[in-house]
Structure formats: C-alpha cells, structure tokens
Amino acid sequence: MLCLCLSVPLLDDFHGKVEYFESQGLPSELKSIFRLSLFLPAKELSTYRQWRQKIVKAGDKDLDGQLDFEEFVHYLRDHEKKLRLVFKSLDKKNDGRIDSQEIMQSLRDLGVNISEQQAEKILKSMDKNGTMTIDWNEWRDYHLLHPAENIPEIILYWKHSTIFDVGENLTVPDEFTVEERQTGMWWRHLVAGGGAGAVSRTCTAPLDRLKVLMQVHASRNNKMYIVGGFTQMIREGGFKSLWRGNGINVLKIAPESAMKFMAYEQIKRLMGSDQETLRIHERLVAGSLAGAIAQSSIYPMEVLKTRMALRKTGQYSGMLDCGKKILFKEGVTAFYKGYVPNMLGIIPYAGIDLAVYETLKNAWLQRYAINSADPGVFVLLACGTISSTCGQLASYPLALVRTRMQAQASIEGSPQTTMMGLFKQILNTEGAFGLYRGLAPNFMKVIPAVSISYVVYENLKITLGVQSR
C-alpha cells in the first residue's frame, strides 16, 4: 500500500489534507517510497493550487478531473523521460554533469543571455552536495514534481505579433507550444488576433489616414499639421471621410496573417528545425521570409488601401471600382508600385522589433520571473509598445517612399520616379526630416492601437474558449 499525502497548514495551523492516492501494488522504481508529505506555508497555498492543476492537466488520461495513482505513476515516468532529454541537451561535454558554462551556452542558443553569477545561482538551487555541478539525480529530483517547463511558459505568455496590431503586419510570427498545436488552440489565437487587429485598425483609422496624407502631400512648402489635417479631411468629405481606406486595411488582415503563418511553418521545416522554439537569428530569417511571401501575395491590397485613403469625394464608388480604374488606366504593374522599398523595409522593422522585444523580455525574465513567466498586462503592453515604436522608426523612410510610389499616378503632374530617385529628391528638397513626414500621427496611434488590440484579443480568447492565461 502506498499513500501519497499532501497537507497544507492553514492560518490556524490546521493541517488540511489536500490529495490522497493509494494502490495495492508498487512499480519497482517506486518500492522505496512509502510515504510522501509536503507541507506548504499558508501564503504558498495559491502556488500549490497552480502546481496541482498542472499535475492533473498533465497526467489525467481519462479526463475525469481527478488524478488516480496509476495516472500519477504514468505522469512520473513520462515526465522523467522528458527530463532525461533536456538533461542530455544541456550536458554539452557529455560527462554526465551540468556546470554553469553549459547552462549559459544553452540559454545563449535560445537568445537568452545571462551572467555567470546568474548561472551559478541556478546551479545552487539544484546542487545538493555543493560541487557547483548538477548530476542526473539532482536534476531529476528537483524537476520531477515541477511540470511547468520554462520555454513553453515563455512562449505561452509572451506572444507579440498575434496580440499587438499597430497597422503594419511586418513582425516575426509568434511561436506556439506543442500543447497549443495539439489542442487546436493556435488557430483560435490567430482568429482572436485578427479580430483584435480589425477593431484596433478601425479605431485608429483617422490617424492612419492622416499619416498617409502627410507622407504624400506634406512638404517644406506645404506644411500639414495634425489639427489642420483633420480639419481638411472633414471639410472635404465629412466625418466619414476619416475612415477612407480602412475597409481594405481590415480585409487584408485575414489573408496576410494566414499566409504568413503557413509560410513561417514551412520555412521552419525547410530549415530542419524540430525544436519547439527557434533561435533568435533563425526566427528573424524565417519570419522575414514569411513576411515577404505574405506581403507579396496581398501587395495589390496595400496599393488599393493607399489609393482609397488618398481619394477625393466621388473619385471612386468603392474598392472594386478603384481596382478597375487602376487596372484600365495604369495596367497590372501599378498594383506593385513601391514593392521594392516595402520588401526592404521588412528586415529593419522585423529585426529591430524582435531584438528590442526579446531584450526587454529577457531583462524582465532574469530579474522578476521567480515563480511564473507571466509578465502581467502592463509589462506586456510596455514591451509591445516600445518594440513596435523602434521597429517603425527604423523602417519609416522606406515606408514613406513606398507610399509615395504607390500614390504617384493618382497625383496630377507627378513624375514616375524610382525608389532611389525619390530618396534623392526628398533629401535635396526637404532634407533628412522629409523622410519622416507623418511620423507624429503614426506614433500617436501606437499606444491606443496596442491597448485596444490587447483588450479585444483577451476578450475574444475567452469567447473562443482559449484558457492559456
């Protein structure tokens, strides 16, 4: 008979039994265990509840919400196999022991840089004999009853491109855990992200249209300010004109997100990666290529969005009419004007955004992630806002040139200039500042866009039955 008993001291020192398992027979590897008692202080009761939920979730095979002894033993065996694989991957020297340098190297491979002191601190938490190395027994004993695996937790809580939408879908796609893939939660995340993006873009559409107008029409001789720009738009087309171009901007979310996700997964396979998460440079390469493929497939919609945002009252009856007139007057090539600067802009945007986000994420994880990788709402919003702002700042000159090339034919008397020609023209006539026309309304929409998309995303997740956070 084996009894596993968990007792939790409450405030009045009453020891309440929490869980109980028993069996008539013991597996050979557990014969030396007769009784296991864990005593937790009252303040750690919530931690125990989280621990128990994860154990039950990982080991409950018959889905009855309870964990019987046989399921518990099965969980221990299965978890030990996973721990053995992780131990072998960390043991770079293949000497059966893990030291601080091996921990630093393994985390560095995942894009997480820690100091030797931090690595030694990790070692001390598991090292029982004071050798400052960890053997298999120490590793197993420490982790066997800890089902929370750090990398999946980080992937789970630190989603970025799925949650935050600032109008430019050039970020590197998020990773999904094995559990999210197996349970089908990944597509619910994408649907929630798409819905959040649609609401976010609609709410910030007036600022986005003002940005496009300032990129195309503002110059040293034709200054356009935020208040004056809004007044001009309302005077020309009424209050509804503030949302011109928003319809096509929302419609392109679904095909672009789906194409980018599928391309990202295929590129990962071509790279030969069977890991749950890629290294930083692998993510940047795979994400940039996936972004280029997605952008190429929906780029005509980008041109339509710019033309619809710049249109005057009565110029087009709708998106289809706009597309027909461009096709008949300018030909098919008009739908790919500005394509080159758009593709070139993916690398600095995705690279800077990913680098800043990962840096902020790792800094928080190293300093504050003690019991959980969950950063909370405000940290996540701050990291997303800062990284998106830096990414946009790095790629903004290319975005401005792209928009001007898309709009060239719609402006009377405007010459058809190449990308390099436009750069030279802007620098000669307006200086370096001219490459950042419209930057103010663009930055003004970042915080509301990030905040709105996060709130809508979290509510849509609940509606879709996603319970990852």
Side-chain angles (χ1 to χ4, degrees), residues 51-60 67 72 75 145 147:
W51 176 88
R52 181 183 179 278
Q53 287 172 358
K54 291 177 181 178
I55 287 284
V56 172
K57 187 176 181 181
D60 186 14
L67 191 67
F72 183 69
Y75 162 77
L145 293 178

Side-chain angles (χ1 to χ4, degrees), residues 173-420:
D174 286 319
E175 299 283 349
F176 290 97
T177 65
V178 172
E179 182 182 358
E180 287 174 320
R181 295 174 189 277
Q182 292 174 344
T183 59
M185 288 298 169
W186 64 270
W187 68 262
R188 291 182 173 89
H189 280 287
L190 292 179
V191 171
V199 175
S200 172
R201 293 186 187 193
T202 301
C203 292
T204 58
L207 285 167
D208 190 65
R209 188 185 176 215
L210 178 61
K211 176 196 74 175
V212 173
L213 288 173
M214 293 178 73
Q215 285 178 332
V216 175
H217 296 299
S219 65
R220 185 173 289 175
N221 298 325
N222 181 30
K223 295 186 182 297
M224 183 182 293
Y225 300 100
I226 293 174
V227 175
F230 280 126
T231 303
Q232 180 181 329
M233 285 191 288
I234 294 172
R235 188 182 296 122
E236 190 276 330
F239 188 72
K240 288 177 62 177
S241 68
L242 297 176
W243 276 267
R244 283 179 184 168
N246 181 61
I248 190 73
N249 196 32
V250 169
L251 281 178
K252 69 186 179 72
I253 292 175
E256 185 175 11
S257 298
M259 184 66 70
K260 186 163 71 169
F261 177 74
M262 289 188 292
Y264 185 68
E265 293 301 309
Q266 291 301 318
I267 292 168
K268 280 172 61 177
R269 291 189 181 94
L270 291 174
M271 292 172 66
S273 174
D274 57 356
Q275 300 179 27
E276 187 167 18
T277 180
L278 298 179
R279 299 177 185 179
I280 297 298
H281 67 277
E282 291 174 330
R283 283 193 66 197
L284 178 58
V285 171
S288 297
L289 290 174
I293 292 170
Q295 281 283 301
S296 298
S297 65
I298 60 93
Y299 193 75
M301 300 178 79
E302 291 281 358
V303 175
L304 283 175
K305 178 231 173 185
T306 300
R307 295 292 183 90
M308 292 293 289
L310 293 170
R311 72 185 173 99
K312 296 180 180 179
T313 302
Q315 186 175 357
Y316 305 119
S317 60
M319 287 181 285
L320 291 177
D321 182 54
C322 177
K324 287 178 182 178
K325 288 182 177 179
I326 293 174
L327 181 62
F328 292 145
K329 289 183 179 180
E330 306 169 48
V332 177
T333 56
F335 289 105
Y336 282 90
K337 285 185 175 178
Y339 177 79
V340 174
N342 186 68
M343 292 298 107
L344 293 176
I346 291 175
I347 297 175
Y349 187 104
I352 297 296
D353 177 74
L354 179 65
V356 172
Y357 191 77
E358 290 295 320
T359 300
L360 294 173
K361 179 182 79 175
N362 292 335
W364 186 91
L365 288 171
Q366 290 179 27
R367 181 167 297 189
Y368 301 108
I370 300 174
N371 297 319
S372 173
D374 186 357
V377 177
F378 294 110
V379 173
L380 204 61
L381 288 175
C383 292
T385 300
I386 294 170
S387 65
S388 296
T389 300
C390 293
Q392 289 190 26
L393 187 62
S395 64
Y396 195 83
L398 286 163
L400 181 138
V401 169
R402 175 203 66 191
T403 304
R404 288 202 179 183
M405 292 181 72
Q406 291 172 341
Q408 279 177 348
S410 66
I411 304 173
E412 295 181 6
S414 176
Q416 303 300 299
T417 315
T418 63
M419 180 182 74
M420 295 307 298

